[in-house]
Amino acid sequence: MRSFNFFGRFYSAFHDYPSLSKIIAVSTVSGGSLIAYAEANTNNGNRGHVAHADAITSNSIAHADANTSKKKKVVVLGTGWAGISFLKNLNNPTYEVKVVSPRNFFVFTPLLPSVTCGKVEPRSIVEPIRNIIRKKNLDFSYCEAECTRIDPANKKIYCRASRTSINTNSKQGEEFAVSYDYLIIGVGAQVNTFNTPGVEGNCHFLKEIEDAQKIRRNVIESFEKASLPNLTEEERKKILHFVVVGGGPTGVEFSGELHDFVNQDVVKLYPMVQHLVKITVIEATDHVLNMFDKRITKFAESKFLRDDIDVKLGSMVTKISENEISTRAKGSDKTTSMPYGMVLWSTGIGQRPLIREFMKQIGQGNRRALATDEWLRVEGCDNIYALGDCATINQRKVVEDIAEIIKRADKDNSGTLKVKEFRDIMKDIIARYPQVKLYMESKRVRDFVDILTEAKGNAAKETIELSIEEFKSALSVADSKMKNLPATAQVANQQGAYLAKCFNRMEECEKNPEGPPRFRGTGRHRFQPFRYRHLGQFAPLGGEKTAAQLPGDWVSIGHSSQWLWYSIYASKQVSWRTRALVVSDWIRRFIFGRDASGI
């Protein structure tokens, strides 16, 4: 990182300008530039230059200490989508930011399946964290360590150096504490094995760049082993049987990438074993990609059928041994087993041990993720925020505040609500409770009054008075539209950007709150609550075909969507370096095919 050292000068101007009472001195402290401000007293005439210099120096140091102590310490746990988005969007110089993570880089996780079969190189989707924070020109620092526990009472976290940096002959393995004023938790989640026997020891996961590299080596090694001359055909079939557990976006994309590798590259590189490859997808529900539009689900299943990818729907994995995987069909007690060569487990996410222990500590032990409010603050901890896969927003229900809402809306205490009174309060209700807006969208109306008055017949809308019970009933139905946000990179990225904007405007919004009014209490909330904006989702299916589901119920499937996928994923890279590397990898693959080396 460049450092610009300005050597300070100062001189006395009191002899020539006796009325001058202020002087600015610039000096260098610890290799960095410091601007110090000092008061000069000229009432007693000219004094010695040395005395002035001593006074300025002492005042400069005192002012420097005061400036340093004023900075709030912000500790960011994790270098995933949420943490990096927060760091990239934070531009307030009044914070001292420390990033703590055992991984000193950011990974563009949507392209991990492309790494497994050589379509993209691992380093092309990785950006060092120090490259990101050095460009901010703010008080940022990074510590390669893993947080082991959180102490909210004393505003400290306890960390230990990551395994890769531990030297057994040094003190690097000892636990150390980091204090904070604000803590931002973005450590993500781990794979959920559902306590299925044998998963931990026999399956591959696909959450980190190391996972993708292991899968890539295993895929290449499988083809090399199957090419040995001393094996029977049954042994070769077992080695080349690739099983994917989980029919979500990751499992489907990996299956498509592996199928393309077999049909575009293996047929040339390993012609003797190409016909022995089998890909099986096991899904516990009735369809793959069940979070997508039904049109996409139907197309994906029919394409996999044409590509000879065996999809077992309604099938649960009961056990995985070293050589066999056991499954049971839905509604059946019969267990069947089949041999396999490699298993990818991609069935959802679970809590990390750090989050699990912290949740018990703050009384959230019975939840599946760390609960936050609509401003991403951990419930019960005013100075701790959580975002990304490790947390979920516990959206407040309208019925919890219904009495206060009615009291504020019924200004004339008539016991009924006129349409005007209702409209006056409705804007604040929508701002505070997003489920009301979702309910309106599901009813395809712009005015909530239309929902309340639809049973009133042809009466003039503006003259209708609504009973309190009708009001309660309609808003309670809106609570049924509440949904948890999906654990995706898109959600984490938007949460990080939102929280950074809040921190950028923290002092300003303390004085002039800009959020919705408080129905319980007086005044307004400091900020507008977080609102997720869904920008669409992709599901690459192999064969240069991708399914795209974009806002407005717009669905596209085919080659055009694949090129849209290329352009969007290239533009979403965190730096021009990774953008250039990813695009060059795609071009290389088009010209030369995938890299089949075992590294």
Side-chain angles (χ1 to χ4, degrees), residues 432-449:
R432 182 65 181 84
Y433 309 97
Q435 62 266 34
V436 175
K437 186 175 181 180
L438 291 175
Y439 181 50
M440 291 168 60
E441 291 174 351
S442 68
K443 289 286 189 177
R444 299 183 182 275
V445 297
R446 293 185 178 182
D447 189 349
F448 200 88
V449 175

Side-chain angles (χ1 to χ4, degrees), residues 336-356:
T336 58
S337 299
M338 56 183 173
Y340 70 89
M342 190 194 86
V343 177
L344 170 66
W345 186 273
S346 178
T347 60
I349 58 174
Q351 304 160 356
R352 292 190 183 276
L354 170 69
I355 300 300
R356 192 181 304 117

Side-chain angles (χ1 to χ4, degrees), residues 458-477:
N458 296 323
K461 183 187 299 184
E462 300 299 328
T463 63
I464 291 176
E465 290 192 0
L466 308 167
S467 70
I468 299 301
E469 290 304 317
E470 289 175 321
F471 182 68
K472 286 182 180 179
S473 176
L475 289 181
S476 62
V477 172

Side-chain angles (χ1 to χ4, degrees), residues 176-228:
F176 60 91
V178 178
S179 60
Y180 65 83
D181 293 304
Y182 297 105
L183 177 63
I184 310 227
I185 304 175
V187 296
Q190 63 185 18
V191 176
N192 192 349
T193 65
F194 300 99
N195 297 319
T196 305
V199 172
E200 290 286 352
N202 299 304
C203 293
H204 287 277
F205 306 128
L206 192 50
K207 291 286 290 181
E208 303 289 345
I209 193 70
E210 294 86 359
D211 298 332
Q213 290 174 308
K214 289 179 182 178
I215 292 174
R216 178 173 175 171
R217 286 193 294 269
N218 197 323
V219 168
I220 299 302
E221 288 173 2
S222 295
F223 286 104
E224 294 294 349
K225 288 179 182 178
S227 299
L228 294 175

Side-chain angles (χ1 to χ4, degrees), residues 280-298:
T280 300
V281 178
I282 300 175
E283 170 57 38
T285 64
D286 295 332
H287 297 283
V288 299
L289 299 177
N290 52 23
M291 71 292 297
F292 281 76
D293 187 275
K294 292 181 179 179
R295 290 169 287 180
I296 293 177
T297 296
K298 184 178 180 180

Side-chain angles (χ1 to χ4, degrees), residues 348-551:
I349 58 174
Q351 304 160 356
R352 292 190 183 276
L354 170 69
I355 300 300
R356 192 181 304 117
E357 292 303 316
F358 180 54
M359 289 172 64
K360 292 179 182 177
Q361 189 177 352
I362 62 175
Q364 293 189 18
N366 59 345
R367 301 186 63 92
R368 67 169 187 84
L370 197 55
T372 72
D373 62 17
E374 299 91 325
W375 293 270
L376 307 184
R377 291 175 302 194
V378 175
E379 291 186 346
C381 304
D382 288 340
N383 58 345
I384 300 179
Y385 297 79
L387 48 165
D389 293 355
C390 68
T392 183
I393 297 176
N394 190 18
Q395 175 63 49
R396 192 173 182 84
K397 295 182 178 180
V398 186
V399 293
E400 295 178 20
D401 299 324
I402 196 70
E404 297 297 325
I405 293 173
I406 291 173
K407 185 187 298 184
R408 187 168 300 185
D410 189 14
K411 296 178 181 178
D412 57 3
N413 297 319
S414 63
T416 60
L417 292 181
K418 298 181 178 64
V419 170
K420 184 180 185 305
E421 289 177 325
F422 183 79
R423 285 206 175 105
D424 288 342
I425 199 71
M426 200 62 210
K427 182 178 180 181
D428 293 334
I429 293 175
I430 291 175
R432 182 65 181 84
Y433 309 97
Q435 62 266 34
V436 175
K437 186 175 181 180
L438 291 175
Y439 181 50
M440 291 168 60
E441 291 174 351
S442 68
K443 289 286 189 177
R444 299 183 182 275
V445 297
R446 293 185 178 182
D447 189 349
F448 200 88
V449 175
D450 293 337
I451 299 174
L452 293 170
T453 59
E454 63 184 2
K456 299 288 185 179
N458 296 323
K461 183 187 299 184
E462 300 299 328
T463 63
I464 291 176
E465 290 192 0
L466 308 167
S467 70
I468 299 301
E469 290 304 317
E470 289 175 321
F471 182 68
K472 286 182 180 179
S473 176
L475 289 181
S476 62
V477 172
D479 283 335
S480 65
K481 296 297 177 181
M482 291 171 56
K483 295 180 180 179
N484 290 327
L485 296 178
T488 62
Q490 188 177 163
V491 172
N493 184 61
Q494 291 185 28
Q495 288 179 335
Y498 163 82
L499 192 59
K501 291 178 181 178
C502 292
F503 271 70
N504 290 338
R505 296 169 51 81
M506 189 78 75
E507 295 179 0
E508 180 181 345
C509 291
E510 285 283 359
K511 300 175 183 177
N512 301 302
E514 58 185 24
R518 299 177 186 271
F519 288 112
R520 292 180 178 269
T522 59
R524 307 180 74 89
H525 293 279
R526 283 182 301 175
F527 310 105
Q528 292 291 340
F530 171 74
R531 294 291 179 262
Y532 170 61
R533 183 186 175 196
H534 186 61
L535 301 176
Q537 52 190 345
F538 291 93
L541 304 173
E544 293 300 314
K545 291 184 179 180
T546 290
Q549 184 175 337
L550 303 179

Side-chain angles (χ1 to χ4, degrees), residues 36-49:
Y37 178 91
E39 293 284 340
N41 188 354
T42 62
N43 293 337
N44 295 329
N46 296 333
R47 295 183 178 178
H49 289 211

